[in-house]
Each structure stands twice: as structure tokens, then as C-alpha cells.
Amino acid sequence: MAKPVLEGANIKLSTKVTSVETTSAGTVKVFAGNGQFEFDEVVITTPLGWLQRNKRVFNPPLPERFSQAIDSIGHGSL
């Protein structure tokens, strides 16, 4: 199931992202310490605590309902 996706994907692991910008053309620009990348679609994984403290990296800002949902999730209890 993942084979077609992985064959066409440009995967960046362990990349420190400083900003994520959605363009007017509908693409996503990802600014990182090692350069700038542009994609049609992006999947980003982050620790929840980092995301709660760094929602400002997204431009335009995340929709308010997403921001509220992120803030309402507890973490660090395990």
C-alpha cells in the first residue's frame, strides 16, 4: 500500500523546520536549517509539547479549531 507513495516521495528525516508556508498556488514551502523545500503535500510529525509552543511556524496560522484542539491535549503524564 505504501510502495507507490514511497516511490514518489521526497522524504526528509531529522530535519529542523523553522517555518511552514502554504502558497497561493496551493503548494507548501518548508523552510529548514538545511534549505528550503516545496511540496504538493506535507506530513510533519512533532512532539506535542513542541507543537503547542510553536504553532507560529505555520503561515497562514492554523485554523482556530486546530489550535484549540492542540492546546487542549494533555501530555507528559506517563
Side-chain angles (χ1 to χ4, degrees):
M1 187 168 153
K3 184 177 179 181
V5 174
L6 293 174
E7 287 175 351
N10 183 355
I11 299 173
K12 305 287 185 190
L13 300 174
S14 301
T15 302
K16 183 177 180 180
V17 172
T18 57
S19 180
V20 178
E21 179 181 315
T22 302
T23 69
S24 59
T27 60
V28 181
K29 286 185 180 180
V30 177
F31 299 87
N34 60 344
Q36 174 183 325
F37 310 97
E38 190 163 348
F39 303 99
D40 293 330
E41 297 174 323
V42 175
V43 174
I44 298 173
T45 60
T46 70
L48 178 59
W50 181 91
L51 183 58
Q52 289 174 329
R53 292 185 307 274
N54 294 284
K55 290 181 293 208
R56 67 187 179 284
V57 302
F58 297 96
N59 183 24
L62 295 173
E64 186 59 29
R65 66 188 182 101
F66 290 172
S67 185
Q68 288 176 351
I70 291 166
D71 289 338
S72 69
I73 301 171
H75 63 87
S77 58
L78 294 177

